[in-house]
Amino acid sequence: MKRKVMYLALSTIAIFVLIGCSKDGNDPSPIELGVWISLDKSDTLDFRTRNDFYKSNGFMQNDHYDYELQSMDSIQIIYSGKLFIMVAPTNHKYSVTQDELTIDFESKSSFGFEDKVITYARE
């Protein structure tokens, strides 16, 4: 009888612990899917899924990149485009609102992007 009570108590505690470990609101801000155009109109990013986008500009059309939101303000970008070259992933500070996405490429270069802070507006 004591074993059953102990098992029931431990099971109940485990359930409460697991329920208490739900998401706490510190997940990265998702980037809305769709087209984002840089304010100077030189770049277009087309976010098609929650882990990849296509970049277009005057030199290259629909060049593929993978990305992962690392934290509330950090995005990892990995080139996986048409040139079939291996490029190390890079991490950048970012911020996103409903209508603007800003990524800092100035502090760390990323293949295919100018070395500056770029702000994109949602189309």
Side-chain angles (χ1 to χ4, degrees):
M1 179 72 174
K2 280 188 173 183
R3 279 188 173 179
K4 286 184 181 179
V5 171
M6 185 66 108
Y7 177 76
L8 182 60
L10 289 175
S11 297
T12 304
I13 291 170
I15 289 171
F16 283 113
V17 167
L18 291 175
I19 290 172
C21 291
S22 64
K23 294 183 179 184
D24 61 1
N26 288 332
D27 290 337
S29 299
I31 297 172
E32 291 292 323
L33 300 181
V35 176
W36 296 78
I37 300 171
S38 64
L39 296 182
D40 66 2
K41 309 280 189 222
S42 64
D43 279 342
T44 300
L45 304 181
D46 184 359
F47 287 86
R48 297 187 184 173
T49 70
R50 295 280 178 224
N51 58 9
D52 77 329
F53 65 86
Y54 290 81
K55 179 182 186 296
S56 297
N57 59 27
F59 304 107
M60 189 73 79
Q61 297 297 309
N62 292 317
D63 216 7
H64 185 251
Y65 289 80
D66 294 313
Y67 76 95
E68 182 179 338
L69 301 178
Q70 301 288 305
S71 67
M72 294 297 288
D73 67 349
S74 179
I75 183 171
Q76 182 178 72
I77 296 176
I78 306 149
Y79 177 76
S80 57
K82 299 174 182 180
L83 297 179
F84 298 107
I85 58 173
M86 183 174 281
V87 177
T90 54
N91 292 324
H92 306 277
K93 295 290 184 191
Y94 83 101
S95 64
V96 64
T97 64
Q98 186 174 352
D99 297 321
E100 279 194 353
L101 166 65
T102 301
I103 304 175
D104 180 1
F105 296 105
E106 190 170 48
S107 58
K108 183 153 189 172
S109 294
S110 185
F111 183 80
F113 291 90
E114 288 186 63
D115 295 342
K116 65 181 186 177
V117 176
I118 303 175
T119 300
Y120 299 88
R122 190 156 179 229
E123 185 177 61

